Amino acid sequence: MTAIVVAVGCGTYPIAVTVVTQPGRRVTAEVSKFNPFWVAPLPAETMSQLLDDILKQCNGADLTGVTISTQTAFAVIGQVEKMIASGYCVEPTEG
């Protein structure tokens, strides 16, 4: 009788964090990809694309409090990579 053991792990690594004292509307964007046999990771331009996405969600308003995080879940034949960008749209103040 043969037993097979499968190990699965997950980790989250924040890259940058900004403290926001008066946040506006929160916006997020994320992408995830299965990386079979660890040969096809998320492309280098993924972070820029996520930042462009959350900027579009602000409809021309400024963006502040941007956080980029990555998550990795390991499987037997590869890993699932996930990148999340979030921030706050700065609402224009009157006066």
Side-chain angles (χ1 to χ4, degrees), residues 23-41:
R25 181 173 51 94
R26 181 180 164 98
V27 289
T28 61
E30 66 180 60
V31 66
S32 92
K33 178 182 180 183
F34 178 68
N35 181 356
F37 304 106
W38 301 274
V39 295

Side-chain angles (χ1 to χ4, degrees), residues 5 8 22 35 40 56 58 61 72 79 87:
V5 177
V8 176
Q22 295 180 340
N35 181 356
K56 286 178 189 173
C58 287
T72 304
Q79 65 188 23

Side-chain angles (χ1 to χ4, degrees), residues 13-90:
Y13 310 100
I15 297 172
V17 177
T18 303
V19 177
V20 180
T21 56
Q22 295 180 340
R25 181 173 51 94
R26 181 180 164 98
V27 289
T28 61
E30 66 180 60
V31 66
S32 92
K33 178 182 180 183
F34 178 68
N35 181 356
F37 304 106
W38 301 274
V39 295
L42 284 171
E45 62 272 1
T46 302
M47 188 182 314
S48 295
Q49 292 169 347
L50 291 175
L51 288 173
D52 289 344
D53 188 19
I54 61 177
L55 276 169
K56 286 178 189 173
Q57 293 178 42
C58 287
N59 297 320
D62 290 333
L63 181 66
T64 189
V66 175
T67 303
I68 305 291
S69 64
T70 60
Q71 297 177 349
T72 304
F74 296 93
V76 174
I77 61 167
Q79 65 188 23
V80 176
E81 299 172 330
K82 185 175 185 178
M83 187 177 289
I84 304 163
S86 63
Y88 296 91
C89 298
V90 177

